[in-house]
Amino acid sequence: MTKHTLYSTPFGPGPSGNRSIPYARLAPLTTSRDFVSDIEDDDAYFFRDLEAQGIHLNRPQVQAVRHFKGPLLTLAGAGSGKTTVLVCRVAYLLAVHRVHPGHLLLITFSKKAAEEMRDRLALMPGLDSGLSNTIQVRTFHAFCLRTLRMNGFDQDILSDGRYQQIVIKRIMLSMGLQDTYQPEVLMSLLSSYKMQLIEVDDLPEKTDEEQELKQIFMQYEQWKIEQHKFDFDDILVKAYQLLQEQPDVLRSLQRKFAYISVDEFQDTNTVQYEIIKMIAQHHQNLMVVGDDDQTIYSFNGARNEFILQFHEQYHAAKTVTLDINYRSSSSIVGLGNAIIRHNVQRKNKTLLATKQSVCGPQYIRPTSSDDESDWLISDIRSKVDAGGCSYGDIAVLYRTTSNSRAIIEQLILHNLPFVDYGNSDSFYDQWMVKPIIDHLRLAYERRNIEAMEGVLPSLYIGREQGMRIIQEQEAVQAKKWPLIHLLGLPQLKDFQKEKLKNRIRLIKSLADMKPLEAIQAIRKDFYDAFLETNKRSKLTHHREMLRETLDELESSAKRFDSVEQFLYFIHEVAEKRTELFVSRRDHAADKIALMTIHKSKGLEFPVVYLLCAVEGNMPHSSALEASHLDDVQIAGVSKRDKEGAALEEERRLAYVAVTRAKAELLISSPLFFRGKKAEPSRFLVSAFSGADSVAAAGRALPAAVKAAAAGKAAAAVKSRPASERVAAWLCPSERCNAWARISSPQEAQRAAKACPLCGAAMHKGSKQI
């Protein structure tokens, strides 16, 4: 394996200039023991009881716990102990203010979080499991379902997403639209509409595609009515409608729940926000806890403005900022601060740290994603073998699922234990990848039924009809290439028959190509055009995301000399992946955690690897062309400002990734990403340069965001010379200091290079020119 140097900045070697490593200031170590007085404070006994249990709150935490009447916005920075504050505040209301436990409602987003809060409540002073169980600690869905059940709704709940997809497939089949849309994407799109309280009847129908979608959704909703079923989105929507239409039910909830707390408020979507707003409308004893810097679920309907504009809805609201991070070292907290401070649409806060850094975040510039995964395997092994950590201490984070292809393959091949928190499908089974693999399979297995079925949609032939004629005609007279039977379809025009013959000729030729050549031939011949001209694919998948997945497929294929070798490798990876997925539920096992940044929110790990932190991936290329997004995806933002909103969300993603690490953070920015030169992520660059990264974003920001950021960036931009940082070979000799530009992926793959001037062994790095 290639040995790589770890650097203290994302730029690699060379003079550091003004690249000072960002450190967070250390917080004062004062706790409730220091400022809650037994003589002056009537509630001191409560905090003494907490301290006896090892719970020592800081000043902002005590301020939030003591809040009694009226609305409160608690801005809880990463690792600032928000769960502790929520639980202690509930206990405080019970012990100090003698609030009846039945009048308390604590809402959170996950079943796991709700269970953890119940367990911790039972350990609070003056509480036991019996009393804590009378407090309503529920997820939004559990609370709304309970409300519906108490008011006569007895529909069965559709809890199996696969069953929903089967229903959607049947509806599409009845409409003659099989293979037209991806059912899981349609379900996600419908959910987005419903969480914004947009009725299916009100969906647009200007184009053929919009009309088809509306018809599919209407039939799905009608099927649920006939089957007496609700899906998860219906639970929220029907509860909202119940409170709107039944004032008595609403008044009953308002009287019952006099004190409401909402966790993870930044993830609230429209329907959830409206439900809470209605229940709290009378007394307004509403405490919301969240971090606007961690709003990363706009695609699920989360609305950042609910937390940013809380005081506009609740004018009397107080604000408490939990700004002390108890999770991470000062250099990790400092990097997070330096990344997120460049966002414009945020509450101003800078986190303090409680842990000195032993070593700061480290950066690496491998050649490619495959080189990156080789290094990661080696680094993990060396850490574990040295006893510095166990596999279970380690998390590997990435922006998109396709980023995980190389590392998953290496983990499987090196037999290292891991848990993949994505889905069970192999990269090669993704809907846009599998048709290409099916063409390769047919080159070697011309009678592979599954592969034949997989190529039919790109020939614009329905699977059912196409496979029926192949099987019928093959039974009468077997052909060397069974696909030729499709020429017998009565509706085929002459040009379609010619395309079919060309396709069979292409498939025959693939066996003699290298796999990279074969994939490129398929893409050039028809597949890229097929995806590009398919309006329905573009409706739900941005062309950039389609292209990046196929580019990743090419990156994988170039390692093999024959199509047969490549197909065998795909089969081997799929089999081992299936075996590993069975053990996924054993979370207590000592295994490396693999997940997207979105999946990692709320979690923490001693050691975090962040992969592919380069331009085009972080921020993702789709964020730089965000004007294509439907209004429902970034709600409340005009098309003109969508790129700026998307870019700020990408920066929040980077912030979330960095702040998952407790002690060690290693960030990789490959020199070449999917065959193209790549620069380190602007979010990392801006953290060191002192210049606002929005200056580098250029056209990617709307006018309003540019204007707000201009004051920060003007001085740095004015003094900055026109230059760029390039990948380079660097001579380590102080007497020589020669360097040579790395100008191609092939050259970057070289393990070593001799200095042309002094003969010393040069190493890979970068150079400002």
Side-chain angles (χ1 to χ4, degrees):
M1 292 185 181
T2 308
K3 246 186 118 56
H4 290 287
T5 304
L6 290 169
Y7 302 108
S8 60
T9 76
F11 308 90
S16 59
N18 65 341
R19 301 179 208 153
S20 57
I21 296 173
Y23 286 91
R25 289 191 299 112
L26 292 177
L29 299 180
T30 54
T31 69
S32 54
R33 186 180 294 278
D34 301 303
F35 55 81
V36 176
S37 169
D38 288 328
I39 299 173
E40 299 176 5
D41 296 302
D42 294 338
D43 58 3
Y45 66 92
F46 177 79
F47 295 100
R48 299 294 90 86
D49 287 342
L50 288 181
E51 291 155 8
Q53 294 192 18
I55 301 173
H56 300 270
L57 304 181
N58 61 44
R59 283 187 183 275
Q61 289 175 330
V62 169
Q63 188 180 353
V65 167
R66 280 174 163 169
H67 181 78
F68 183 34
K69 295 284 188 178
L72 172 68
L73 170 62
T74 304
L75 294 172
S80 62
K82 69 177 180 63
T83 303
T84 297
V85 167
L86 278 165
V87 171
C88 288
R89 197 247 178 173
V90 168
Y92 186 90
L93 290 173
L94 295 170
V96 177
H97 292 294
R98 305 298 180 185
V99 173
H100 189 280
H103 292 163
L104 297 172
L105 174 62
L106 178 50
I107 294 288
T108 188
F109 272 78
S110 72
K111 184 179 178 182
K112 181 180 177 182
E115 289 172 350
E116 179 189 353
M117 288 184 184
R118 287 193 202 101
D119 292 341
R120 292 179 65 171
L121 272 172
L123 301 175
M124 287 288 103
L127 292 180
D128 55 32
S129 58
L131 185 58
S132 64
N133 285 336
T134 64
I135 303 169
Q136 293 288 320
V137 184
R138 298 184 179 273
T139 64
F140 269 106
H141 283 86
F143 172 73
C144 289
L145 181 59
R146 186 172 187 272
T147 302
L148 291 173
R149 293 292 193 231
M150 292 176 67
N151 287 276
F153 291 82
D154 60 354
Q155 283 84 347
D156 294 328
I157 305 302
L158 279 168
S159 57
D160 188 348
R162 290 172 298 181
Y163 184 44
Q164 290 175 275
Q165 292 175 27
I166 291 172
V167 174
I168 292 292
K169 282 183 178 179
R170 288 174 179 167
I171 292 171
M172 289 195 293
L173 182 63
S174 70
M175 296 173 61
L177 297 174
Q178 61 270 29
D179 302 316
T180 301
Y181 302 103
Q182 298 301 311
E184 63 270 26
V185 177
L186 292 190
M187 295 306 303
S188 177
L189 187 61
L190 177 59
S191 176
S192 295
Y193 284 123
K194 292 167 76 171
M195 292 303 95
Q196 299 302 318
L197 293 174
I198 299 173
E199 298 278 354
V200 172
D201 288 343
D202 297 329
L203 293 180
E205 44 187 333
K206 295 178 182 177
T207 66
D208 291 342
E209 290 76 32
E210 288 176 347
Q211 291 171 16
E212 288 173 358
L213 283 180
K214 186 171 183 177
Q215 188 63 31
I216 292 170
F217 294 155
M218 290 181 71
Q219 288 196 36
Y220 172 67
E221 295 298 318
Q222 183 60 36
W223 175 86
K224 285 187 296 180
I225 293 172
E226 293 170 356
Q227 299 297 318
H228 201 61
K229 295 182 184 295
F230 278 170
D231 60 28
F232 281 128
D233 293 331
D234 293 328
I235 294 172
L236 300 181
V237 173
K238 297 301 181 184
Y240 167 79
Q241 293 172 347
L242 174 68
L243 300 186
Q244 284 275 311
E245 297 166 4
Q246 299 289 333
D248 290 344
V249 175
L250 176 59
R251 281 194 293 269
S252 173
L253 292 178
Q254 288 173 337
R255 285 193 299 268
K256 179 175 177 58
F257 298 115
Y259 297 89
I260 302 173
S261 302
V262 182
D263 187 20
E264 302 284 9
F265 189 66
Q266 76 280 347
D267 294 334
T268 309
N269 59 40
T270 299
V271 64
Q272 292 164 338
Y273 177 71
E274 292 297 330
I275 288 171
I276 290 297
K277 194 169 70 172
M278 282 192 285
I279 298 173
Q281 184 177 8
H282 178 65
H283 51 71
Q284 296 203 350
N285 294 327
L286 174 63
M287 176 187 185
V288 299
V289 181
D291 185 5
D292 54 300
D293 289 334
Q294 296 187 65
T295 306
I296 60 173
Y297 292 117
S298 67
F299 62 89
N300 276 346
R303 300 278 295 273
N304 203 32
E305 63 265 32
F306 292 152
I307 195 168
L308 293 177
Q309 299 171 9
F310 188 75
H311 285 77
E312 295 181 18
Q313 178 66 41
Y314 300 96
H315 300 291
K318 296 178 181 178
T319 299
V320 173
T321 302
L322 307 182
D323 60 356
I324 299 177
N325 180 296
Y326 293 94
R327 173 188 299 155
S328 310
S329 65
S330 59
S331 58
I332 293 173
V333 177
L335 178 60
N337 287 338
I339 287 172
I340 202 62
R341 68 185 173 88
H342 294 299
N343 266 7
V344 176
Q345 299 298 321
R346 66 182 293 259
K347 297 282 188 179
N348 188 35
K349 56 187 174 295
T350 302
L351 297 190
L352 306 176
T354 55
K355 299 176 183 177
Q356 288 276 13
S357 290
V358 177
C359 67
Q362 295 179 299
Y363 305 85
I364 184 173
R365 290 284 273 157
T367 303
S368 63
S369 294
D370 287 299
D371 188 26
E372 177 183 66
S373 63
D374 285 343
W375 159 77
L376 191 145
I377 294 293
S378 177
D379 200 62
I380 288 176
R381 273 186 163 165
S382 66
K383 279 183 170 57
V384 173
D385 290 345
C389 64
S390 63
Y391 290 120
D393 293 330
I394 297 170
V396 180
L397 308 183
Y398 31 82
R399 171 64 182 83
T400 65
T401 303
S402 62
N403 297 147
S404 67
R405 190 271 310 165
I407 183 57
I408 286 177
E409 290 175 0
Q410 289 300 316
L411 287 168
I412 288 173
L413 295 177
H414 287 86
N415 203 30
L416 294 187
F418 72 95
V419 178
D420 177 15
Y421 287 84
N423 56 47
S424 59
D425 291 337
S426 165
F427 168 81
Y428 307 100
D429 284 329
Q430 292 187 39
W431 72 267
M432 70 287 280
V433 173
K434 194 171 183 299
I436 292 181
I437 304 302
D438 285 335
H439 280 80
L440 298 181
R441 286 195 175 109
L442 281 179
Y444 278 91
E445 307 171 49
R446 61 193 67 165
R447 284 186 165 74
N448 186 317
I449 297 296
E450 183 185 355
M452 272 189 278
E453 190 175 349
V455 307
L456 294 179
S458 64
L459 288 164
Y460 298 97
I461 295 173
R463 292 176 189 257
E464 187 176 351
Q465 183 187 27
M467 293 311 299
R468 183 170 62 246
I469 193 168
I470 288 173
Q471 291 168 338
E472 288 175 354
Q473 293 303 312
E474 191 70 3
V476 175
Q477 182 179 3
K479 296 285 187 181
K480 187 175 181 180
W481 291 88
L483 279 178
I484 203 72
H485 292 303
L486 295 173
L487 291 172
L489 286 170
Q491 77 272 23
L492 287 189
K493 297 181 173 58
D494 289 341
F495 79 90
Q496 290 176 299
K497 292 180 179 179
E498 193 57 39
K499 282 185 178 296
L500 174 58
K501 293 175 184 177
N502 289 338
R503 184 70 61 82
I504 294 173
R505 282 194 287 269
L506 172 66
I507 293 171
K508 289 178 181 179
S509 71
L510 298 177
D512 297 325
M513 298 183 188
K514 290 192 173 184
L516 176 58
E517 288 180 276
I519 292 169
Q520 290 173 338
I522 292 170
R523 293 183 65 178
K524 183 179 179 182
D525 186 82
F526 72 93
Y527 198 64
D528 281 357
F530 168 71
L531 293 178
E532 182 68 24
T533 57
N534 189 333
K535 296 178 181 178
R536 293 151 187 166
S537 291
K538 289 197 293 182
L539 180 71
T540 50
H541 284 83
H542 187 230
R543 70 179 70 178
E544 198 63 37
M545 300 179 76
L546 295 172
R547 187 166 63 240
E548 78 168 28
T549 303
L550 299 185
D551 288 348
E552 185 63 33
L553 177 62
E554 290 189 10
S555 295
S556 176
K558 71 182 180 184
R559 300 170 294 166
F560 300 90
D561 292 326
S562 72
V563 171
E564 193 171 20
Q565 286 178 355
F566 186 41
L567 291 174
Y568 180 79
F569 174 79
I570 291 171
H571 173 74
E572 183 182 22
V573 167
E575 280 199 337
K576 289 186 176 181
R577 186 183 176 91
T578 302
E579 293 171 11
L580 288 165
F581 189 75
V582 173
S583 65
R584 171 177 166 176
R585 294 180 182 176
D586 186 8
H587 297 300
D590 184 23
K591 297 179 181 179
I592 302 162
L594 268 64
M595 64 187 75
T596 62
I597 301 170
H598 284 98
K599 290 273 188 182
S600 74
K601 194 170 82 68
L603 304 178
E604 58 183 40
F605 304 90
V607 182
V608 169
Y609 292 87
L610 176 58
L611 305 186
C612 298
V614 295
E615 288 292 298
N617 192 58
M618 187 182 292
H620 194 272
S621 53
S622 61
L624 304 179
E625 300 177 21
S627 58
H628 74 281
L629 292 173
D630 198 314
D631 283 341
V632 75
Q633 291 174 284
I634 301 183
V637 182
S638 67
K639 287 185 180 294
R640 181 184 61 195
D641 288 346
K642 279 185 177 178
E643 286 189 12
L647 191 62
E648 291 218 344
E649 181 148 338
E650 289 291 303
R651 190 178 285 107
R652 292 194 291 268
L653 265 176
Y655 173 75
V656 167
V658 164
T659 54
R660 297 311 94 196
K662 297 170 70 174
E664 285 192 72
L665 174 64
L666 301 101
I667 302 177
S668 171
S669 303
L671 289 165
F672 292 89
F673 183 59
R674 298 194 173 115
K676 299 175 183 176
K677 285 183 64 178
E679 296 300 325
S681 167
R682 69 186 67 185
F683 304 145
L684 300 176
V685 173
S686 68
F688 286 84
S689 66
D692 194 334
S693 62
V694 297
R699 65 174 184 83
L701 286 172
V705 178
K706 283 180 180 175
K712 294 182 186 177
V717 173
K718 186 175 181 180
S719 63
R720 189 187 308 141
S723 65
E724 67 170 321
R725 182 160 291 277
V726 299
W729 291 101
L730 305 172
C731 181
S733 172
E734 294 181 1
R735 295 181 180 179
C736 180
N737 282 328
W739 68 280
R741 186 166 182 164
I742 298 175
S743 56
S744 70
Q746 291 74 27
E747 185 177 359
Q749 289 172 357
R750 290 177 59 178
K753 179 183 177 75
C755 176
L757 297 183
C758 70
M762 303 180 85
H763 63 259
K764 295 172 188 172
S766 61
K767 184 78 174 177
Q768 192 79 24
I769 63 171

